[in-house]
Every structure is written in structure tokens, then in C-alpha cells.
Amino acid sequence: CVECEGGGIMPVAKQKVDFLSKSSLPLQVLIFFNGCYVALWFLANIAIFIWKGVELPYPANRLGPEVFLIFAVVIVNVVRLFLGSKGNKTENRVLLIIFIVLSLFAALGNIFFIIFQTYVLRIEMVLNVISLVFIGLETLFAIFAMVRFVS
């Protein structure tokens, strides 16, 4: 019991409360900077595809699907980063598992832009490799965070 200012006695809880957060700061920092990078990646790829559409002879019906894939990869990345951030902050393993699954789809999109698109420029290689590094590190830190949430 603890004495109050007015002379009364107030009971103190005997349970120990764990106030330490188990969320991962490195994961949260990576998610923040990757969010900025996704915006840069999107703008750069749109500019590159405008240039490629004007300057390079694209086969019929190839430019449209590749541009559509840019939008699909960005949507997957935005949803992935939101769920990863929320899962990390709330220490929710299910959201981090969804984050990891969406990371696989985002990585496949980047691999497409490195290997399978019609014309691959060096700048696109650099942009997509940086994106893959972000995805790989985030996935690794998400796994570490999930293990920490359990303990």
C-alpha cells in the first residue's frame, strides 16, 4: 500500500505489467523509407515508360500490359507496407504474415521488370534491384519481429 497526500492508503497492484514494446524499430524504419522509395520508383518508371513508348518500337499489345503492371506492383507495395507497419506497431503476427506473402508478389513484379519486360534499361535494373533489397530486408526483419512477438 502507498500513502496518498490526503493521508489515505491506496493499494498497489501486485501484478507486473510489461510496458516494453516488442515491435521492430529497424523494420519500421525500412517500411518508412521504402514507402518513400515506392513513390520514387513509380514516378521514375512512368517517366521511363513514356520515353520508351515514344523512342522504342514496341510490339503490338505489349506496352499497355507492362504499364498496367507498374500500377499493380505499386498497389501491392502500398497495401503491403501499410499492413507491415500496422502489424509491426500492433505486434500482430497475422498482419506480418500477410505482409510477407505480399512481399513475394511485389518481388515477382520487380523480377519481371528486371528480366521479362520487352526493353530493360540499366536504370530500371538499378531501381528494381534496390526495391528487391528493401523487400528482402523487410521480410527478414518481419520474421525476426514475429519471433520476438511470440517470446
Side-chain angles (χ1 to χ4, degrees), residues 48-59 63 118-121 124:
I48 290 167
F49 268 93
I50 289 171
W51 179 83
K52 289 193 319 188
V54 171
E55 295 293 325
L56 300 174
Y58 259 86
L63 185 61
T118 306
Y119 298 107
V120 182
L121 305 178
E124 290 176 307

Side-chain angles (χ1 to χ4, degrees), residues 27-42:
L27 175 59
Q28 201 60 42
V29 169
L30 280 170
I31 287 172
F32 173 79
F33 284 113
N34 195 9
C36 299
Y37 184 75
V38 166
L40 171 74
W41 182 91
F42 175 71

Side-chain angles (χ1 to χ4, degrees), residues 30-145:
L30 280 170
I31 287 172
F32 173 79
F33 284 113
N34 195 9
C36 299
Y37 184 75
V38 166
L40 171 74
W41 182 91
F42 175 71
L43 294 174
N45 271 298
I46 291 297
I48 290 167
F49 268 93
I50 289 171
W51 179 83
K52 289 193 319 188
V54 171
E55 295 293 325
L56 300 174
Y58 259 86
N61 300 326
R62 287 294 299 221
L63 185 61
E66 288 182 7
V67 171
F68 173 78
L69 191 59
I70 289 174
F71 286 94
V73 169
V74 167
I75 290 169
V76 167
N77 269 315
V78 168
V79 171
R80 178 182 78 83
L81 293 172
F82 173 77
L83 293 176
S85 178
K86 186 158 183 87
N88 184 40
K89 290 175 186 174
T90 61
E91 300 174 10
N92 186 328
R93 290 183 14 231
V94 174
L95 290 179
L96 286 181
I97 290 170
I98 296 170
F99 169 75
I100 291 170
V101 169
L102 289 176
S103 295
L104 297 175
F105 288 107
L108 287 175
N110 290 119
I111 290 169
F112 172 84
F113 286 116
I114 291 173
I115 299 172
F116 298 113
Q117 70 175 323
T118 306
Y119 298 107
V120 182
L121 305 178
R122 281 196 189 126
I123 186 69
E124 290 176 307
M125 294 275 290
V126 170
L127 288 169
N128 287 293
V129 166
I130 291 170
S131 187
L132 285 171
V133 169
F134 267 117
I135 291 169
L137 288 173
E138 288 167 346
T139 301
L140 186 65
F141 280 109
I143 291 168
F144 290 153

